[in-house]
Amino acid sequence: MVPSKPETNGSPVSEIQNSIESSSTQKLAEKPAPNGNATAQGVPGPVAADDSIRSSQNSPQTQKFRETGSTQTSIAMGEYNGAEYIGINEVPSPRVNRGKKISLLPLVFLIFYEVSGGPFGVEDTVNAAGPLLALVGFLVFPFIWSIPEALITAEMGTMFPENGGYVVWVSSALGPYWGFQQGWVKWLSGVIDNALYPVMLLDYLKSGIPALGGGLPKILTVLALTIALTYMNYRGLTIVGWIAILLGIFSILPFVVMGFISIPKLQPKRWLVADVHNVNWNLYLNTLFWNLNYWDSISTLAGEVENPNKTLPKALFYALILVVLGYFFPLLTGTGAIPLQQNLWTEGYFSDVAKIVGGVWLRWWIQGAAAMSNIGMFVAEMSSDSFQLLGMAERGMLPEFFAKRSRYGTPLVGILFSASGVVLLSWLSFQEIVAAENFLYCFGMILEFIAFVRLRIIAPTSPRPYKIPVGTIGAILMCIPPTMLICVVLFFSSLKVLIVSLVAVAIGLVMQPCLKHIEKKKWLRFSTSSDLPDMHAATRENDSLID
């Protein structure tokens, strides 16, 4: 049964203006928000939901309302200050039962698989730069990129805890046109990223099953894997979350065993090998970037999370620790336990390291863990991509059929579109996929940084259940290092990747006006869910105060 939802072609707020007009100011005065964080009904922030509230902005009740909102305090990551994301009605509209929400532990492992999935794929950093720079990269890079991105995701994801995630952030700050561009490049980069996992899985298995190295067997295996894992996504997000836990434990455990076995063989001097004059910076940076990004992907399914205001920041914090340790210690073990043959460190080499350190049994275990890890990364990424399309449809950015859910509550059309993209792109090589995905991802991240800073400026008192403990200047400064890194990654991109990525961006620039034309002509049905708040009200209220 497909859940039905109330729909409207206009702003959700316009439907309830008449009912709010006579009592909205009184309700705001009588019903304070938890922990002193006041919110207008359905609007994230100390803003009014209609013209009647704005006309009474000088009243004692409204003044008290604003002053209460401005007392919001900054909190540490993983903590929660009790602010709520309130729907547009005084009493929240009854929602259709979409199945059980995701709790903390499954969410941690979903983020783990969105970002990492274990050390599979990090081998190229050793190939490109040697053991020393590989180890330093996985210690330093998280401070430049991963931590800022996770912090921004925690703040913005709790400010807008709905499906669509970063699309809603950018739309609320920069308007629906740029919100659509954000959705297009991030969805495309996510699908490209997902095309990696069948390729990586076969790279680990081909040493034991050479027939999977190419040709028709490889093509058929990729197709079969895509169909099977797509069906897993179709069956429900809760199932995906618990599968991610089991796969995560199975993927990490062999590296823990390998670490203990390798202790007598470790030679610390092997960790210090570096030839800075012969570093392949393009491969090195792209591999680091790919292995430590996508923290924001979990925001696209925030509407499916149980108590997202509290759960999302905690899950990001725990996942960050898990990801960094899951990269650093296997690299420490692998590079310190065996003599360096730098040219052999390519994707899949950890299985050979396991054979040298522990024997054939450990090699097979690592290969099995790699298979499980790639399955986990695939289903987590597809969940994010498909719920993003659903969230965009609920905001009226895509045709209404993208909001269609299966009887398991999953975005049926979004899953099918994402799976089709994976099949079309899986013929590319590992390095080509990583470079193209990184290039598109960079465009999306720049828009996210701009949206994050702009919302701090135009809606400083809007409730943020989790808020990074810095002011507006601190928010700007925090975005500078990752932005510089983006510029470096783009600079080292090849001409082929540059051309393909720019063509993809150009398609998005013209696609949005085309969709608006289709909507105007009524060739396809578009609608905005009335369950969602007016994300532009904060901007309008700020403008009215300035006037």
Side-chain angles (χ1 to χ4, degrees), residues 361-383:
W361 66 272
L362 188 56
R363 175 186 184 176
W364 279 104
W365 193 1
I366 293 285
Q367 288 178 335
M372 297 301 102
S373 174
N374 282 281
I375 289 173
M377 288 188 286
F378 187 101
V379 296
E381 181 65 54
M382 180 168 285
S383 295

Side-chain angles (χ1 to χ4, degrees), residues 386-407:
S386 56
F387 272 101
Q388 178 196 317
L389 295 181
L390 181 144
M392 292 176 70
E394 289 181 337
R395 282 289 180 184
M397 296 181 182
L398 290 176
E400 188 182 58
F401 61 78
F402 277 98
K404 180 181 176 61
R405 289 179 183 254
S406 70
R407 61 180 176 144

Side-chain angles (χ1 to χ4, degrees), residues 28 31-40 43-47 64-66 68-70 86 461-463:
L28 290 172
K31 186 177 180 182
N35 291 357
N37 286 296
T39 56
V43 180
V47 296
K64 179 180 178 180
F65 171 60
R66 288 194 189 126
T68 305
S70 65
I86 302 176
T461 56
S462 293

Side-chain angles (χ1 to χ4, degrees), residues 510-524 526:
V510 299
M511 187 186 302
Q512 199 267 355
C514 290
L515 286 174
K516 298 306 291 184
H517 181 73
I518 290 172
E519 179 182 10
K520 183 178 179 180
K521 294 290 186 180
K522 298 183 180 180
W523 294 338
L524 290 174
F526 291 72

Side-chain angles (χ1 to χ4, degrees), residues 241-506:
W242 286 105
I243 287 175
I245 295 175
L246 299 176
L247 295 180
I249 294 171
F250 186 81
S251 300
I252 294 170
L253 195 55
F255 290 97
V256 175
V257 173
M258 188 171 76
F260 281 111
I261 294 175
S262 67
I263 290 175
K265 304 177 182 180
L266 293 177
Q267 295 185 23
K269 65 179 181 180
R270 291 172 176 163
W271 297 327
L272 304 178
V273 177
D275 184 3
V276 294
H277 300 293
N278 293 304
V279 174
N280 183 341
W281 291 107
N282 184 31
L283 179 60
Y284 175 70
L285 290 174
N286 269 303
T287 305
L288 277 175
F289 191 70
W290 175 71
N291 278 287
L292 285 164
N293 62 16
Y294 276 88
W295 296 94
D296 59 337
S297 291
I298 200 66
S299 69
T300 64
L301 45 86
E304 312 301 312
V305 175
E306 179 183 298
N307 191 8
N309 293 342
K310 183 177 180 180
T311 305
L312 186 58
K314 284 186 175 182
L316 284 163
F317 176 73
Y318 297 140
L320 183 63
I321 296 173
L322 184 61
V323 166
V324 173
L325 295 180
Y327 283 144
F328 184 76
F329 283 104
L331 268 179
L332 201 68
T333 297
T335 55
I338 65 173
L340 177 64
Q341 291 182 278
Q342 191 167 328
N343 62 306
L344 297 180
W345 279 84
T346 57
E347 64 275 6
Y349 187 63
F350 264 124
S351 63
D352 296 325
V353 174
K355 181 181 178 181
I356 297 170
V357 171
V360 175
W361 66 272
L362 188 56
R363 175 186 184 176
W364 279 104
W365 193 1
I366 293 285
Q367 288 178 335
M372 297 301 102
S373 174
N374 282 281
I375 289 173
M377 288 188 286
F378 187 101
V379 296
E381 181 65 54
M382 180 168 285
S383 295
S384 174
D385 296 340
S386 56
F387 272 101
Q388 178 196 317
L389 295 181
L390 181 144
M392 292 176 70
E394 289 181 337
R395 282 289 180 184
M397 296 181 182
L398 290 176
E400 188 182 58
F401 61 78
F402 277 98
K404 180 181 176 61
R405 289 179 183 254
S406 70
R407 61 180 176 144
Y408 302 105
T410 49
L412 181 61
V413 178
I415 288 174
L416 293 176
F417 264 73
S418 298
S420 301
V422 169
V423 172
L424 292 174
L425 294 166
S426 58
W427 58 272
L428 295 171
S429 71
F430 180 87
Q431 287 82 7
E432 288 175 326
I433 294 175
V434 168
E437 174 264 318
N438 282 348
F439 199 100
L440 291 171
Y441 187 80
C442 287
F443 278 103
M445 287 310 303
I446 290 173
L447 287 175
E448 280 185 37
F449 293 154
I450 294 172
F452 167 64
V453 172
R454 178 164 168 75
L455 285 172
R456 278 294 191 98
I457 294 171
I458 66 174
T461 56
S462 293
R464 291 164 168 84
Y466 169 79
K467 185 177 182 181
I468 304 171
V470 295
T472 303
I473 300 300
I476 295 172
L477 293 175
M478 189 179 73
C479 292
I480 291 176
T483 302
M484 293 175 63
L485 178 64
I486 285 175
C487 295
V488 172
V489 171
L490 295 179
F491 176 79
F492 282 105
S493 297
S494 67
L495 181 61
K496 177 182 177 181
V497 169
L498 175 66
I499 293 173
V500 171
S501 301
L502 289 178
V503 169
V505 171

